[in-house]
Amino acid sequence: KELRRTLFVSMGNEVVDMARPNPFERLCRTLGGAKAEGFVWDSKFMPEEDHGSVVLRTHYWGLKKIFEGYRLTGDAKTGAFEGNLSELQEHYSKFSKRRNAIFTPSEALVNLVAYEALREKDFKRAIPIFSYNVELYPTSANAYDSLGEALERASRPLEAVASYEKAVQIGEKEQHPNLGVYIRNRDRVLRALSMEKKTP
């Protein structure tokens, strides 16, 4: 009744000269009648390949089927994901449920989505996504630095300093190649805060 699995089957030229329906066609017919909830399957007949050469192409098409729906769908023209944090989380939650495993977006992908919102000065959408990246990757100096940038641009300097400082701490511990950038970002906001205090 339920089988949350994905099956991809292929066939090379072994069945070309066999009577129809051949074994591959019969298998596909059987799979087409499967009623199990969560079961997904697909097939590809590659008569131009033989028993050995079909393997590589099968890996490609099989992995595409297994991970179908993993990528975020974006704007038709730009390809950019325009959803908010809850929509981002829902996308991976649904995919995880379909694949019966836990999938989370990469740090780079979350940062990309957040920066797309930040470029539009949509701080209400960008900052929660940057914060989510810190939650997912709490040992990443880059995640804290990116959150700091968003907070700084949103005119939240005290929070920005705290996030930049965290990036510096992690960067120092790891001897991160971008440590100098993290320090400059933190110090820039600290100087601006200092100037504000001096202004009568």
Side-chain angles (χ1 to χ4, degrees):
K1 293 182 179 180
E2 180 178 316
L3 182 62
R4 299 193 177 278
R5 294 289 186 272
T6 299
L7 174 66
F8 181 83
V9 294
S10 68
M11 179 61 70
N13 61 11
E14 296 98 322
V15 297
V16 169
D17 297 325
M18 291 185 180
R20 308 283 298 273
N22 60 49
F24 182 66
E25 291 169 332
R26 293 200 301 272
L27 172 62
C28 291
R29 185 182 300 169
T30 299
L31 292 171
K35 301 277 193 278
E37 181 183 347
F39 179 63
V40 177
W41 75 279
D42 199 0
S43 67
K44 200 167 190 66
F45 177 41
M46 308 180 203
E48 66 277 15
E49 307 294 347
D50 61 29
H51 186 70
S53 65
V54 76
V55 176
L56 182 61
R57 291 183 64 193
T58 299
H59 287 163
Y60 172 78
W61 289 106
L63 287 169
K64 278 182 70 74
K65 188 62 182 181
I66 290 169
F67 290 97
E68 189 175 64
Y70 176 77
R71 296 181 65 182
L72 288 172
T73 53
D75 178 83
K77 291 183 178 179
T78 65
F81 176 73
E82 298 179 340
N84 57 29
L85 174 59
S86 62
E87 290 169 322
L88 175 67
Q89 292 171 320
E90 183 181 9
H91 174 85
Y92 286 96
S93 175
K94 285 182 177 179
F95 183 82
S96 296
K97 186 176 180 180
R98 287 201 308 272
R99 294 296 174 260
N100 199 32
I102 297 175
F103 287 88
T104 54
S106 68
E107 178 189 344
L109 177 63
V110 178
N111 238 27
L112 177 64
V113 170
Y115 270 112
E116 286 169 351
L118 189 60
R119 275 192 290 272
E120 301 295 323
K121 297 183 179 179
D122 189 348
F123 304 120
K124 188 176 181 181
R125 185 162 65 96
I127 291 175
I129 298 175
F130 279 120
S131 299
Y132 177 58
N133 217 16
V134 166
E135 180 184 327
L136 286 177
Y137 303 97
T139 61
S140 169
N142 181 67
Y144 280 101
D145 182 70
S146 297
L147 174 59
E149 181 182 347
L151 292 165
E152 180 183 359
R153 292 178 60 180
S155 300
R156 294 162 60 175
L158 293 176
E159 294 169 89
V161 167
S163 194
Y164 282 142
E165 176 60 31
K166 188 69 176 176
V168 170
Q169 291 174 3
I170 296 173
E172 288 176 337
K173 184 178 179 180
E174 298 180 347
Q175 296 184 331
H176 199 285
N178 288 335
L179 176 59
V181 176
Y182 305 149
I183 292 173
R184 286 195 296 274
N185 288 341
R186 178 199 62 188
D187 292 350
R188 180 183 61 250
V189 182
L190 284 172
R191 283 194 301 271
L193 287 169
S194 178
M195 292 295 292
E196 285 181 10
K197 289 181 180 179
K198 293 178 181 179
T199 303

